[in-house]
Amino acid sequence: MTAAVPGVPAVRSWVRLPVAAAFFAALGGVLLLPEVLSVYQIYLALEVLIFGLAATSLNLLVGYAGMVSFGHAAYFGAASYCAALAMKYAGVSMWTALLVAPLGSTVLAFVYGIFCVRLSRIYFAMLTLAFAQLTYTVAFQWYGVTGGDTGLLGVMPADAIAEPQTYFRFTALVVAACIAVLYAVVRSPFGLTLRSIQQNRVRVELLGVNPYLYQLGAFVIAGFFAGVAGALYAFEKGAVFPDYLSLGHSLKFILMTLLGGFTVFLGPLLGALVFELLNSVLTNYTQYWQLPLAVCLAAVILFAPSGLSGLFLRKR
């Protein structure tokens, strides 16, 4: 029996090889997209990558920790503002702002998480929404710092990556690195413990594990990666507005997660792709694009509760 134990890591390494090969092959294909896409399509693909990262970070809470957050845009938007404020008031470069911004969202997630994680289910969801609306109100009304509803302009990427094609490739590399780290997190003992807490919290507590600390850790990690997405989004748009913190963005991340499927790790990324494609196509045909989009989303939720990815994969 003991002789078989040393072989386990070897088997696992062989299993990981196809996953790594598929990952780098997909990344290579994404990096080549600017060669065949128009400028408009490049910006559309940028939003798929950025929103996909934000939705994937949310899925760490929804799919693995069983915590549905209605305020994930707070960390997405907070990082956008951190990047803009760092450039405007501290005069730092884009590279420094891109490093500082996720740290700001991480601190905010930690502070909010201390209170939110103490609750569960609908109470948790409502408190995350309340904190997000508080953050939105501060950004909207603090004209002297945030610019209020006029936002902050001039949040431009560095000259080296200012071209849409170059910025797309840079964003793709950053998003790919973040996705890889998140994948490692959910497959680590930490991620497995989160899933155990979701399935049977009492049993985990009896084993001597503190669920609060693990859930708070997941909340902070999700806030960090949402912040990375928010910072990338700020430099893509060249400006920051309170809308980035709004309930609309939080609901968009939730819809992307549900559309792609929260039972599959890459489901939210697929959901972001389908959501943005539907949004882009439908707006070309009708000004009431929200209606057919809502019908499509309702159909997926009713007939494919595990999302589009769940139609092909039953298990993570």
Side-chain angles (χ1 to χ4, degrees):
M1 182 178 294
T2 56
V5 174
V8 172
V11 172
R12 289 180 177 177
S13 64
W14 279 105
V15 172
R16 292 193 186 103
L17 284 177
V19 176
F23 174 80
F24 286 110
L27 177 59
V30 170
L31 293 176
L32 292 176
L33 284 179
E35 301 297 330
V36 297
L37 298 180
S38 65
V39 174
Y40 168 77
Q41 291 170 335
I42 288 174
Y43 280 110
L44 180 62
L46 267 171
E47 296 198 356
V48 170
L49 291 175
I50 293 171
F51 291 152
L53 174 59
T56 303
S57 68
L58 174 62
N59 197 41
L60 178 64
L61 299 179
V62 177
Y64 293 88
M67 301 186 295
V68 180
S69 172
F70 285 145
H72 208 57
Y75 319 109
F76 179 87
S80 297
Y81 271 99
C82 284
L85 291 172
M87 293 185 70
K88 179 177 180 179
Y89 294 107
V92 302
S93 66
M94 174 258 185
W95 307 109
T96 304
L98 193 60
L99 293 175
V100 170
L103 298 181
S105 67
T106 302
V107 172
L108 187 67
F110 176 74
V111 173
Y112 286 175
I114 290 175
F115 302 99
C116 294
V117 175
R118 295 181 184 276
L119 306 177
S120 60
R121 299 180 181 179
I122 188 64
Y123 306 104
F124 170 83
M126 289 298 100
L127 189 56
T128 59
L129 173 59
F131 278 130
Q133 289 302 102
L134 173 64
T135 311
Y136 170 80
T137 301
V138 171
F140 188 80
Q141 295 187 353
W142 200 0
Y143 281 88
V145 176
T146 64
D149 57 351
T150 59
L152 297 172
L153 307 179
V155 189
M156 306 305 295
D159 293 339
I161 56 172
E163 293 297 322
Q165 295 83 355
T166 311
Y167 188 73
F168 175 86
R169 293 190 176 95
F170 170 76
T171 300
L173 291 173
V174 173
V175 170
C178 291
I179 292 293
V181 173
L182 279 170
Y183 184 77
V185 168
V186 301
R187 296 296 174 182
S188 68
F190 175 83
L192 295 177
T193 303
L194 280 179
R195 297 172 70 178
S196 299
I197 294 171
Q198 178 186 8
Q199 294 168 4
N200 195 322
R201 184 186 182 97
V202 175
R203 180 175 296 179
V204 172
E205 288 177 337
L206 291 175
L207 293 173
V209 175
N210 188 342
Y212 174 80
L213 295 180
Y214 277 85
Q215 290 179 325
L216 178 60
F219 199 91
V220 172
I221 292 171
F224 172 82
F225 286 105
V228 175
L232 292 172
Y233 191 64
F235 290 111
E236 182 219 335
K237 294 296 185 183
V240 177
F241 301 100
D243 178 63
Y244 297 0
L245 297 150
S246 68
L247 176 61
H249 268 77
S250 291
L251 293 178
K252 180 187 292 186
F253 300 149
I254 292 175
L255 289 175
M256 289 175 176
T257 302
L258 294 176
L259 182 61
F262 61 87
T263 60
V264 179
F265 177 74
L266 291 179
L269 195 59
L270 173 62
L273 173 63
V274 175
F275 185 94
E276 289 298 314
L277 286 177
L278 285 174
N279 188 5
S280 177
V281 171
L282 292 175
T283 51
N284 291 330
Y285 291 97
T286 176
Q287 59 179 328
Y288 306 107
W289 58 271
Q290 294 95 337
L291 179 59
L293 179 61
V295 171
C296 293
L297 293 172
V300 170
I301 293 173
L302 289 174
F303 301 107
S306 56
L308 294 175
S309 58
L311 297 175
F312 306 100
L313 299 173
R314 295 294 181 89
K315 297 181 180 181
R316 273 172 281 201

